[in-house]
Amino acid sequence: MSNGNLTHKVLLVEDDAAITSLLRTYFRDSGFRLIEASTGAQGLAAAIEKRPDIILLDLGLPDGDGVDVVIALREWCRTPILIMSGRSDDDGKIRALDAGADDYITKPFSVGELMARLRVAVRHIELRETESPIFESGPLKIDFAHRYVWLNDELIKFTPLEYKLLSLLVKHCGKVVTHRQLLREVWGAEYQEDSQYLRVYMGYLRKKLEPTPESPKLILTEHRVGYRLAI
Ligand code: CA
């Protein structure tokens, strides 16, 4: 990936030697520099010493649960964390996301899919650095300063709650946002298990934003986990 002269450092915390060796080969000419760790403890030490730009974290580590690594990292750093988890580990990935991980990818994954997720993470790092009041992606444009939303240049009206929900998805665009995160931030902590609110309001948003709300292209459902705004 070319991104000016910037090379992003990716810390890989993974005990599966086959995955590490695959990524080592692939990253060699990708514009990302790979830092390797094979346990949670090594990963935490490398995060402190090497200051990676992105952390790629396996959930099943020989010295413990990757969720604990997320919790420890979030004590002091905002570096994007991308979880790698097995198909059977829904609960683990939801806990990791709720603990502050940014996104997940399910094993076995294609390298192409992984690179797309890494590019999303890079985009978020850049957005954080340039903090613009205007967001634009595909047909969607938002002016955060004035709370205007346009779809294909047409101004769309939202209720305050709908706007709050949409702007949260936009803030995390391309990344999954869990049910719990959405409920907590939009409705409040006491509502974080009330997922029926979400279903109803996502329906309202889709009706306003999707040409065919029943097969959404913009607000994607991540089964059992949350929602993702496509970019
Ligand atoms: Ca593992």
Side-chain angles (χ1 to χ4, degrees):
M1 194 184 79
S2 95
N3 186 14
N5 294 318
L6 271 179
T7 302
H8 289 93
K9 289 183 282 184
V10 178
L11 169 60
L12 173 67
V13 188
E14 169 64 89
D15 61 317
D16 183 336
I19 293 183
T20 303
S21 126
L22 170 78
L23 295 186
R24 193 185 298 144
T25 311
Y26 199 86
F27 274 39
R28 203 165 289 148
D29 29 43
S30 69
F32 289 106
R33 193 148 67 80
L34 194 64
I35 302 161
E36 297 173 21
S38 57
T39 65
Q42 275 180 23
L44 285 170
I48 295 166
E49 274 166 42
K50 310 270 172 66
R51 295 302 169 120
D53 301 296
I54 301 168
I55 298 170
L56 202 50
L57 175 68
D58 178 33
L59 279 188
L61 292 165
D63 57 340
D65 191 340
V67 177
D68 295 327
V69 178
V70 174
I71 294 168
L73 285 168
R74 281 295 174 257
E75 291 284 328
W76 62 276
C77 90
R78 292 173 64 197
T79 308
I81 303 172
L82 182 57
I83 294 299
M84 299 181 290
S85 72
R87 218 164 274 286
S88 56
D89 197 15
D90 262 358
D91 179 57
K93 79 189 167 205
I94 293 168
R95 283 189 300 124
L97 291 165
D98 283 334
D102 291 79
D103 205 352
Y104 71 92
I105 189 163
T106 306
K107 290 178 182 177
F109 51 81
S110 72
V111 176
E113 193 185 349
L114 175 66
M115 296 316 270
R117 291 278 194 277
L118 290 177
R119 283 193 295 271
V120 168
V122 167
R123 190 172 158 188
H124 278 272
I125 298 167
E126 289 164 355
L127 280 177
R128 204 161 67 199
E129 281 161 5
T130 58
E131 223 60 275
S132 159
I134 303 281
F135 167 90
E136 243 184 309
S137 174
L140 192 63
K141 182 175 164 185
I142 299 189
D143 175 345
F144 289 111
H146 302 97
R147 299 184 158 228
Y148 290 143
V149 181
W150 294 268
L151 184 73
N152 296 316
D153 294 324
E154 189 193 337
L155 192 64
I156 312 279
K157 284 237 187 280
F158 290 93
T159 66
L161 240 154
E162 291 167 359
Y163 176 81
K164 217 166 156 186
L165 195 55
L166 177 64
S167 58
L168 200 59
L169 288 172
V170 167
K171 212 172 86 191
H172 297 276
C173 67
K175 303 191 295 192
V176 69
V177 193
T178 64
H179 296 140
R180 196 180 267 258
Q181 275 175 295
L182 290 163
L183 286 161
R184 196 175 46 216
E185 296 209 25
V186 176
W187 281 270
E190 62 277 32
Y191 294 96
Q192 60 187 12
E193 308 298 334
D194 294 324
S195 49
Q196 74 275 16
Y197 288 114
L198 260 186
R199 273 196 298 276
V200 170
Y201 273 82
M202 285 300 175
Y204 295 156
L205 287 187
R206 281 170 170 160
K207 228 175 246 165
K208 292 183 179 182
L209 294 172
E210 305 271 3
T212 41
E214 44 300 331
S215 55
K217 300 274 185 290
L218 194 63
I219 300 173
L220 310 177
T221 297
E222 292 287 328
H223 186 57
R224 287 174 35 99
V225 179
Y227 294 89
R228 182 193 301 275
L229 189 84
I231 53 169

